[in-house]
Amino acid sequence: MSRRIVLSLTAAVVVLGGAGAFAFAQAGERSPSLAHSTARYAAPVGERDGSLTFTTDVTSSSGVKDVKVLAWPADSSFAERGLTAKDMATAEPATCKPLNEDTVRCTYKVAVTTTDAKASPRGAWHVAVLADAKNGTTTLNTKAADFTVA
């Protein structure tokens, strides 16, 4: 082989290898994804508290660092101005358990007292989720699930 062909092949291998490494690095920077999100609201009955339970599966190739959850009424100010990651800073954390190497199942459960239920707006509610991955990327889904307060 001539020296020119060898240099061209070497350059091609370096370029393709670099492109592959770049693609691999970019794949590792993907934001977390949410799947199978559900919310279940049970109103208090008599002396017994009700509850709100939210569950979602969060997948991130770098691992999940933190998941925060916020339930909000559909007719609140968030509907007008939009919910942001900054709004989620004080949201409560979900409890997450591994499903497999890249996915955790996160659950948020809170008791709903009779006093809470009386003070809560009636109608449609949304559940917002902020998922932080270990690689620093985040995902905010402001309407991951819905429920109704009757």
Side-chain angles (χ1 to χ4, degrees):
M1 278 189 193
S2 77
R3 181 180 161 113
R4 178 178 271 171
I5 292 173
V6 171
L7 288 175
S8 293
L9 286 174
T10 302
V13 168
V14 169
V15 168
L16 290 175
F22 178 76
F24 182 74
Q26 291 301 312
E29 295 299 317
R30 287 193 187 137
S31 296
S33 63
L34 306 175
H36 312 295
S37 299
T38 60
R40 189 175 67 243
Y41 174 79
V45 177
E47 297 295 316
R48 194 175 63 207
D49 286 347
S51 64
L52 169 63
T53 304
F54 171 77
T55 304
T56 191
D57 294 344
V58 184
T59 301
S60 174
S61 59
S62 70
V64 177
K65 179 180 171 185
D66 187 40
V67 175
K68 292 185 176 184
V69 177
L70 176 69
W72 57 281
D75 62 356
S76 72
S77 63
F78 291 137
E80 296 170 17
R81 67 175 176 86
L83 187 65
T84 67
K86 186 176 179 181
D87 295 320
M88 296 293 291
T90 59
E92 295 181 341
T95 302
C96 301
K97 296 183 180 182
L99 281 182
N100 60 41
E101 187 176 316
D102 297 333
T103 304
V104 294
R105 174 157 296 149
C106 300
T107 303
Y108 170 78
K109 185 171 184 174
V110 62
V112 178
T113 66
T114 302
T115 304
D116 294 334
K118 286 180 181 177
S120 296
R122 302 288 179 252
W125 283 63
H126 305 294
V127 178
V129 179
L130 179 66
D132 295 316
K134 290 181 180 176
N135 66 8
T137 60
T138 62
T139 295
L140 173 62
N141 185 335
T142 60
K143 296 178 183 176
D146 301 312
F147 64 97
T148 302
V149 175

